Amino acid sequence: MAENKKKLVMIGPVYPYKGGISHYTGSMVKNLKKDFDVKTVSYKMQYPKLLFKKEQRDYDNDVLKIDDAQFLINTANPFNIIGSAMKIKKMKPDFLIMQWWHPYFSPCYMLLSSMLRKIPKLFVCHNVFPHERFPMDRFLTKRVLKKGAGFITHSKMDADDLKSIVSRPNYETTVHPTYNMFKIKDMSRDEARSILGIPDDRKILLFFGFVREYKGLKHIINAMPDIVRADSSIQLMIVGEFGGDKADYMSLIEKSGVSGSIAVVDGYIPDKEIEKYFAACDLVVLPYESATQSGIVQIAYSFEKPVIATDVGGLPEVVIDGKTGYIVPPKNPKTLGEAVVRFFREGKATEFGDNVRAEAYRYSWDRMNEVVKRLSEKADRK
């Protein structure tokens, strides 16, 4: 007789919501279904337009669509939240998994937790505290996470933050799993470069993702003059959506004196368009000033691309220095540039790519399932 699977309800954004948390939640749900009876509850309204003016949904690529997902929760409507909690209770889950990344969700999650207080809750902490700190963020975060029966963190920094507000938490720290869903056409480097019009002899350095101050884009731009002096075939490709400070970055590029070696693709990149940029590049760069972890590393690894990242947050835990890329000090264009030049001068692409491939299980979603099983069993015993 087949073993009965534990029932769990996943709470978080999934397709058609945009962004890394949605990609993560969708991937996690699809894999957890191998071992659990999973119901997915997402948001009817994630952020009010007053707070988040950009389009929140992208219907273009449904590779991570969860067919039975229920879009119930209006995060700003307490009556809706109470009604959603009653519907979740009727699903009779053994435990909940709640995606956590910003204190905006605190009132919503506190009310849900209060209504569902008898059901153990596991929190996936993408960031315990937000990237851009603000007054009351610690208080709001503590009010939510103290209700948790278990926690998944993706960096030692987040684990330390968690322990600063939750006494003796039941937690495991594990690396962010790899995103494989963007390899839609299994595009070769040559095919991708043909589409993008990149000559074969160019060495492409990729900065990818929504441009925010803490991601340190200015540091790789400032490193480019020295990089180009050492090897004029190296080109930086900046692909992502700028905020209101785009003009400042464009001015910095112009002043660098090597604007011809810096290409900018401005705007949100739909999921189905991501593949060509990673397939075409040789090296991915994350010159972050601060971080907990980053899904960009895991997209890079899914394309077997090495990464240069800064020594902040959990990045050194996933980028193995001298093996799957290089770790350099933050806010240091000179050292960053030297690492880029060294990578190409020493011809590390094949070696580092092989090492990324060898680390595949460490970054697998199956490994994540094992973590969830252990945490849920410990939560049961509490």
Side-chain angles (χ1 to χ4, degrees):
M1 185 174 176
E3 181 184 352
N4 288 333
K5 292 182 177 180
K6 275 189 173 183
K7 295 181 180 180
L8 75 87
V9 170
M10 174 72 73
I11 299 175
V14 293
Y15 169 92
Y17 283 107
K18 299 188 326 188
I21 310 296
S22 176
H23 295 149
Y24 183 107
T25 309
S27 296
M28 193 175 195
V29 166
K30 283 181 177 289
N31 212 67
L32 283 171
K33 286 189 174 187
K34 297 177 184 177
D35 299 310
F36 298 90
D37 179 356
V38 185
K39 296 281 193 299
T40 305
V41 174
S42 192
Y43 309 119
K44 184 177 182 180
M45 192 280 292
Q46 182 174 219
Y47 299 114
K49 289 184 178 179
L50 182 66
L51 297 179
F52 197 93
K53 295 180 173 60
K54 295 178 181 178
E55 177 53 54
Q56 298 179 42
R57 295 174 177 84
D58 174 14
Y59 294 90
D60 223 16
N61 182 14
D62 64 357
V63 67
L64 283 177
K65 182 179 181 182
I66 307 299
D67 290 327
D68 58 354
Q70 299 181 56
F71 295 85
L72 301 179
I73 302 170
N74 181 324
T75 61
N77 184 328
F79 298 105
N80 165 277
I81 295 166
I82 291 169
S84 299
M86 298 303 292
K87 291 175 183 177
I88 292 169
K89 190 178 290 187
K90 288 178 181 177
M91 298 175 190
K92 298 182 178 178
D94 294 301
F95 64 100
L96 308 178
I97 295 181
M98 304 174 77
Q99 304 293 332
W100 173 261
W101 69 100
H102 199 281
Y104 162 77
F105 294 92
S106 294
C108 172
Y109 279 11
M110 280 190 281
L111 187 50
L112 279 175
S113 294
S114 176
M115 296 292 296
L116 302 169
R117 60 184 175 277
K118 293 184 179 180
I119 304 172
K121 299 159 196 72
L122 304 184
F123 286 93
V124 179
C125 298
H126 299 271
N127 310 298
V128 171
F129 300 124
H131 289 297
E132 286 102 5
R133 301 296 299 269
F134 62 90
M136 297 285 289
D137 62 4
R138 183 182 179 87
F139 171 78
L140 291 169
T141 298
K142 184 175 182 177
R143 290 291 301 275
V144 174
L145 296 189
K146 71 179 183 179
K147 305 290 187 182
F151 305 89
I152 294 170
T153 63
H154 292 312
S155 71
K156 183 180 181 299
M157 176 182 169
D158 264 328
D160 290 344
D161 285 343
L162 175 66
K163 287 183 282 188
S164 77
I165 57 173
V166 178
S167 176
R168 291 183 295 177
N170 167 33
Y171 81 98
E172 288 199 30
T173 297
T174 184
V175 294
H176 190 307
T178 299
Y179 290 139
N180 294 310
M181 64 282 191
F182 300 116
K183 293 181 78 169
I184 299 168
K185 299 178 181 177
D186 202 17
M187 199 177 289
S188 71
R189 179 178 180 272
D190 290 343
E191 289 171 328
R193 288 186 168 217
S194 176
I195 291 168
L196 294 171
I198 300 172
D200 186 59
D201 62 350
R202 299 293 277 180
K203 298 167 184 172
I204 300 298
L205 183 63
L206 176 65
F207 175 98
F208 187 91
F210 187 60
V211 178
R212 297 169 74 177
E213 180 69 20
Y214 76 87
K215 294 187 178 181
L217 174 58
K218 63 186 177 185
H219 303 303
I220 186 60
I221 294 173
N222 287 332
M224 282 303 291
D226 286 344
I227 292 172
V228 173
R229 257 192 302 275
D231 187 339
S232 61
S233 67
I234 299 175
Q235 178 175 326
L236 171 64
M237 187 161 54
I238 301 166
V239 181
E241 191 171 9
F242 287 80
D245 51 1
K246 180 185 176 183
D248 294 335
Y249 288 105
M250 298 309 293
S251 175
L252 191 62
I253 291 170
E254 192 61 35
K255 290 175 182 176
S256 72
V258 291
S259 58
S261 296
I262 302 175
V264 176
V265 181
D266 177 22
Y268 169 73
I269 308 299
D271 291 352
K272 69 177 184 180
E273 300 294 326
I274 289 173
E275 179 175 18
K276 62 189 177 187
Y277 297 107
F278 282 88
C281 79
D282 299 293
L283 179 65
V284 177
V285 62
L286 282 73
Y288 289 14
E289 296 182 354
S290 65
T292 48
Q293 42 78 33
S294 174
I296 302 301
V297 176
Q298 303 309 331
I299 298 175
Y301 281 178
S302 74
F303 288 92
E304 297 174 5
K305 302 293 182 176
V307 175
I308 292 180
T310 47
D311 189 9
V312 296
L315 296 182
E317 296 166 44
V318 290
V319 179
I320 305 172
D321 189 39
K323 188 173 180 182
T324 64
Y326 295 122
I327 295 294
V328 299
K331 304 181 184 180
N332 192 324
K334 184 176 186 298
T335 308
L336 178 60
E338 288 171 351
V340 171
V341 172
R342 177 185 172 195
F343 172 83
F344 289 111
R345 182 174 288 159
E346 296 182 3
K348 291 290 188 179
T350 299
E351 177 190 339
F352 283 7
D354 289 344
N355 291 338
V356 169
R357 191 160 49 248
E359 292 283 312
Y361 176 71
R362 183 169 175 250
Y363 307 116
S364 72
W365 286 99
D366 287 340
R367 188 168 184 258
M368 176 64 74
N369 280 20
E370 294 170 8
V371 171
V372 171
K373 285 179 188 176
R374 288 194 295 268
L375 289 173
S376 64
E377 287 166 3
K378 287 180 184 177
D380 283 344
R381 293 197 291 269
K382 281 196 168 185

